[in-house]
Amino acid sequence: MNVVLWICQGLLAALFLVSGLLKSTQSKQRMLDTGQTGVVFFPLPVIRVVAAAELAAVLGLILPGTTGIAPVLTPAAAIGLAVVMAGAAISHAKLREYRTSAVNLLVLAVCVFVAVGRLAG
């Protein structure tokens, strides 16, 4: 089970590293032009805060397990990302982008799996 959790953590970390970097460096219009349509409802400062939270969560997914320091941060990071994904799913559903919303819910489920798995371990 530990290996499966690490694989999920690595996939989540890679996904949110890219997402956080794009949201922290691109203009809102560029994000919309490249298909990140869920940001349409939010002002740029909010998008930047979400980007910073995603990047912090990437560290929380990986560093505690590799250093042995503050392992409670891993499930906390996964829960935080689950909240972000719930918001993303709602945003995409409002845009009638149901396939994207379903993908958001799948990522949310992986976040919950990691959170529960690391809290139980």
Side-chain angles (χ1 to χ4, degrees):
M1 182 61 83
N2 188 46
V3 171
V4 174
L5 286 167
W6 269 111
I7 291 169
C8 290
Q9 285 169 237
L11 291 173
L12 288 172
L15 173 71
F16 285 103
L17 178 63
V18 171
S19 176
L21 288 174
L22 291 175
K23 285 183 184 118
S24 65
T25 59
Q26 293 182 338
S27 68
K28 184 174 179 178
Q29 189 57 51
R30 177 72 176 143
M31 286 181 251
L32 292 170
D33 292 345
T34 58
Q36 298 178 66
T37 54
V39 302
V40 72
F41 300 112
F42 304 101
L44 190 58
V46 172
I47 296 167
R48 299 290 198 234
V49 168
V50 170
E54 289 178 350
L55 294 172
V58 167
L59 297 175
L61 287 171
I62 303 300
L63 290 180
T66 58
T67 64
I69 299 170
V72 72
L73 292 178
T74 298
I79 291 167
L81 291 173
V83 171
V84 169
M85 293 316 302
I90 291 167
S91 292
H92 287 287
K94 284 183 181 180
L95 293 169
R96 300 181 190 272
E97 297 174 346
Y98 300 116
R99 187 173 300 195
T100 304
S101 189
V103 171
N104 296 145
L105 293 174
L106 175 64
V107 174
L108 184 151
V110 175
C111 292
V112 170
F113 172 73
V114 168
V116 170
R118 290 302 178 201
L119 284 171

